Amino acid sequence: MSKKANIELIHELSLAFGPTGCEDEVARLIESKISHLADSIKLDRMGNLIARMTFGNGSKKLMVSSHMDEVGFMVTEICEDGYLRFDTVGGISGSVLAGRRITLGGKDGKVNGLIASKAIHHKSKEDREKVLSAEKLHIDIGAANKEEAERYAEIGSFATFCSEFVLFGTNERRVKSKALDDRMGCAAMIEVMGALAKNRPSVDLDVYFCFTVREEIGLSGALTAANTISPDFALVLETTAIGDIANTSPEARVADVGGGGVLSLMDRSTIYDKAFVEFLLNTAKENDIKAQIKRYVSGGNDAGSIHKTGVGVRTAALSVPTRYLHSPACVASLDDYESLRDLCEAAIRNFDSKL
């Protein structure tokens, strides 16, 4: 039976402040969790945290990757009335913005705020039917005027959604939070490192656990990490946006909550290595771990950069199916998280050198 997820770890990571370009807090937190597990750890000049574990003679290099950053906001103007104009950092739908609480990384620490919009009483019939984009909205930090706002914020200040971490559903096996993309992947990597350190596998493998930066705006952190490592294989642990909600056709559901980790065959930036994916499917079957195939071509992740580095990297992506991605209320199943974590560990322990 699979061991239960380290819920406190997922909780702590998900609520950490880490919009793209500001991953430092998350990196420090992760380093505190893995410093005693890895054979070596380094923080590269991009901000990627790379932990190496060598087993046997390390004849093959495997890069296991999850990104630390989350979608967020950047202040673009401080207005005379104390409101802040902003733009999104990463893909965020206008439908999840108005009225949301945010945390601003201010000049002297974090500042509470919210994304302001007219109340329904002050909107015309036409306006009520519109979804307002970021350029039509403002952040309210409670400042009376520009001078007061400038004590706390400046142009270029970053912000994230402010969201509670909630367990719900049968036996509280569903989790709701911001930043499950991709703190669930980060948590799984930490748990796998702990298991491998406790019971080292009998394989000849150099494993680089890479906690990467800047995935949400161009995959640049993983690009430099892969160029540094020159891995033979890469396994990207992610979340994937799914549509398994009411009145959705089967092909548009993408994957199903409760169906296990999701293996991609193709997305908007990568066609995945067939033999590697087949190895992961067989490993899942042999170890009685749930896994499913992604049924839709969409999105992308750090694999889009990794597989093109050096002389090429044989790459696979394994994801937790997640509802309402890039919002303050991402929802995933702890069962699926455990399947992803267990399959990652099993793949390392049973790595096939003939791949």
Side-chain angles (χ1 to χ4, degrees):
M1 183 176 177
S2 171
K3 66 178 181 180
K4 295 299 183 182
N6 185 338
I7 296 171
E8 285 305 313
L9 177 63
I10 301 171
H11 182 175
E12 194 174 4
L13 287 170
S14 297
L15 296 190
F17 181 86
T20 303
C22 304
E23 298 91 348
D24 311 60
E25 180 180 316
V26 183
R28 288 193 298 270
L29 176 58
I30 291 172
E31 187 170 13
S32 74
K33 307 289 186 183
I34 66 172
S35 58
H36 63 295
L37 302 175
D39 299 326
S40 65
I41 297 177
K42 74 172 184 177
L43 190 70
D44 70 13
R45 65 178 62 178
M46 290 284 284
N48 299 304
L49 185 65
I50 302 174
R52 180 179 179 181
M53 299 181 76
T54 301
F55 307 107
N57 62 24
S59 59
K60 294 285 187 180
K61 291 182 181 180
L62 170 65
M63 176 179 178
V64 183
S65 178
S66 296
H67 66 89
M68 297 185 288
D69 59 315
E70 62 185 294
V71 295
F73 315 98
M74 188 183 77
V75 174
T76 58
E77 182 185 351
I78 300 177
C79 303
E80 292 297 329
D81 54 10
Y83 286 97
L84 311 178
R85 295 185 65 84
F86 68 96
D87 203 349
T88 54
V89 180
I92 304 177
S93 170
S95 63
V96 301
L97 293 179
R100 299 296 185 178
R101 293 172 59 206
I102 61 95
T103 299
L104 180 77
K107 289 181 175 180
D108 298 311
K110 297 186 181 70
V111 177
N112 291 322
L114 57 90
I115 299 175
S117 175
K118 289 180 182 179
I120 191 170
H121 313 71
H122 304 146
K123 291 181 178 179
S124 66
K125 183 178 183 297
E126 293 74 20
D127 284 344
R128 292 178 192 180
E129 297 172 354
K130 294 177 181 177
V131 173
L132 296 178
S133 57
E135 59 264 26
K136 301 292 186 181
L137 297 167
H138 296 79
I139 290 173
D140 182 355
I141 59 170
N145 51 50
K146 183 175 183 178
E147 182 181 7
E148 186 176 345
E150 288 178 333
R151 296 177 197 167
Y152 304 99
E154 58 190 345
I155 293 174
S157 292
F158 284 81
T160 63
F161 286 117
C162 180
S163 171
E164 292 181 327
F165 184 94
V166 177
L167 298 176
F168 69 107
T170 304
N171 298 320
E172 295 193 325
R173 297 294 289 170
R174 299 282 171 86
V175 58
K176 179 242 105 173
S177 180
K178 76 171 184 71
L180 295 183
D181 176 18
D182 187 26
R183 307 288 166 70
M184 274 195 151
C186 293
M189 282 171 50
I190 294 170
E191 288 207 64
V192 169
M193 289 181 69
L196 296 176
K198 186 175 182 180
N199 180 17
R200 297 179 73 86
S202 300
V203 290
D204 293 324
L205 200 59
D206 228 359
V207 186
Y208 294 81
F209 291 92
C210 298
F211 301 87
T212 64
V213 298
R214 305 184 192 180
E215 190 269 355
E216 297 293 359
I217 50 84
L219 323 180
S220 57
L223 175 67
T224 59
N227 273 314
T228 299
I229 296 165
S230 297
D232 301 291
F233 296 87
L235 177 58
V236 177
L237 302 186
E238 256 285 9
T239 58
T240 191
I242 61 170
D244 69 332
I245 56 178
N247 302 317
T248 303
S249 58
E251 75 280 1
R253 293 171 74 89
V254 184
D256 300 300
V257 168
V262 182
L263 284 161
S264 298
L265 303 179
M266 175 181 169
D267 58 34
R268 297 300 183 194
S269 60
T270 309
I271 295 179
Y272 293 91
D273 186 277
K274 291 181 180 179
F276 196 10
V277 173
E278 191 67 27
F279 162 71
L280 291 167
L281 285 170
N282 289 336
T283 300
K285 184 176 181 180
E286 291 165 4
N287 290 273
D288 195 26
I289 300 169
K290 276 190 174 183
Q292 56 185 315
I293 294 291
K294 186 175 179 178
R295 306 190 300 268
Y296 197 71
V297 177
S298 63
N301 54 57
D302 276 339
S305 286
I306 294 169
H307 81 277
K308 295 182 285 190
T309 59
V311 295
V313 182
R314 299 179 63 183
T315 304
L318 177 62
S319 304
V320 177
T322 307
R323 295 171 177 166
Y324 330 127
L325 211 63
H326 287 196
S327 82
C330 307
V331 169
S333 162
L334 292 172
D335 294 335
D336 293 330
Y337 166 83
E338 290 164 1
S339 294
L340 172 140
R341 178 203 62 197
D342 294 348
L343 182 50
C344 176
E345 180 185 345
I348 293 171
R349 292 193 181 280
N350 299 281
F351 195 83
D352 187 350
S353 60
K354 296 178 183 179
L355 268 173

